[in-house]
Amino acid sequence: MFEKEKKQVLDTALEIKRCRLVSLSGGNVSMRVGEDRYLVTPSGMIYEDMEPSDVCLIDGACRVVEGIRKPSSDASALVYMFEHMPKANAIIHTHQPWATAAGFAADEIPDFLVTVMDACKNPVKVAPFTPSSAIGMGILATEYAGDSLAVILKHHGVVTWGADIQEALFAAVYLEEAAQTFVLAKAMGAEIPALDPELIAKEKAGWETYGQ
C-alpha cells in the first residue's frame, strides 16, 4: 500500500541528508496517509540503504501495519503531533546544526529574513530539551508551534511540518539557511532590526503564488 507515498518519504529523507540537515541515519520523515495511518522512516537505517518498502506504515498506537522494519524511535512523538495538529500531513525531524546553534542564542528566530517569512510562515520558537525517543518531543513541538511551520528543539534539532511533504521540506531547508545568517550576524555583533509588519505581510503574500 501507499507505494507512491513511501517513495516520497524516502526521496525527502535523501534530500534532507543531501542538504546536510542530518547525518547517517539521523532524523526522520513521516506522512499522514489516512485516518489513524502514518508512514515513517525506519529506526537506525542509513537512508541510502533504504528502499521504499523499508518505510513503515503504522497506526495511532505506533503498531506496524505494513513493513518489516522497526519504525523510528520518535514514532510516538510524531503520532502525537499528527493527532493534535490536524493541518499537518507531513513532519520532518532533523538535527540541522545552524538552527540548533541559533536555539542557544535566542528563544525565537524572528521574521528577519525572507526565508523565514516565506517557508516557515512566522517566527520560529525554541522549545526546551526533551530526550530522543520520547513523546515529550511531540508534546513540546505542538505547544511551541504557534502559527509557524517549525520549532527548534534545544540540545536536539528541529521539527518542521506542512500541509504536504514539500511544505515541510521547504520549512526545514530554508530555516537552516536563515539560521546560518542569524548565527553569523550574532557572531559579528550585528543588531538585527525588526521589519515593518506590512512589508512582512507583502513578502508572505508573494510566496503564495511562488512557482505557479
Side-chain angles (χ1 to χ4, degrees):
M1 292 188 288
F2 305 112
E3 300 310 312
K4 176 184 175 183
E5 290 83 359
K6 288 178 181 178
K7 186 176 186 304
Q8 283 183 292
V9 168
L10 177 54
D11 287 347
T12 301
L14 291 168
E15 183 65 12
I16 62 172
K17 189 168 185 181
R18 188 187 71 81
C19 293
R20 299 187 176 185
L21 306 188
V22 295
S23 300
L24 298 174
S25 60
N28 47 70
V29 178
S30 55
M31 180 190 293
R32 188 197 307 271
V33 289
E35 187 176 351
D36 197 46
R37 291 292 183 273
Y38 313 97
L39 294 175
V40 61
T41 46
S43 175
M45 190 172 186
I46 295 174
Y47 294 125
E48 287 85 353
D49 293 341
M50 287 185 202
E51 299 291 338
S53 59
D54 292 311
V55 176
C56 305
L57 177 64
I58 63 173
D59 64 15
C62 299
R63 294 173 298 211
V64 176
V65 176
E66 181 179 272
I68 61 171
R69 304 290 180 185
K70 178 183 177 182
S72 169
S73 59
D74 292 323
S76 62
L78 300 171
V79 168
Y80 181 93
M81 291 180 67
F82 281 124
E83 290 179 343
H84 291 81
M85 300 173 68
K87 293 183 179 179
N89 291 316
I91 298 172
I92 297 174
H93 170 44
T94 71
H95 299 150
Q96 53 200 81
W98 287 102
T100 307
F104 292 112
D107 294 327
E108 179 181 277
I109 305 300
D111 270 341
F112 80 108
L113 204 65
V114 292
T115 45
V116 178
M117 302 173 208
D118 293 341
C120 297
K121 306 299 184 187
N122 285 291
V124 177
K125 296 188 185 315
V126 180
F129 172 71
T130 56
S132 300
S133 310
I135 195 172
M137 182 181 85
I139 294 171
L140 285 174
T142 302
E143 179 183 341
Y144 279 75
D147 294 323
S148 179
L149 297 182
V151 165
I152 296 170
L153 308 167
K154 191 167 282 191
H155 303 276
H156 192 162
V158 166
V159 180
T160 67
W161 50 87
D164 56 37
I165 203 163
Q166 178 172 290
E167 188 169 54
L169 176 63
F170 274 43
V173 174
Y174 282 133
L175 173 60
E176 186 70 349
E177 181 179 287
Q180 184 173 6
T181 303
F182 184 87
V183 170
L184 290 172
K186 288 287 187 182
M188 293 187 298
E191 186 70 31
I192 301 175
L195 287 171
D196 185 327
E198 289 188 9
L199 290 176
I200 294 174
K202 187 174 181 179
E203 172 64 32
K204 291 178 180 179
W207 180 257
E208 296 305 316
T209 57
Y210 181 71
Q212 297 180 16

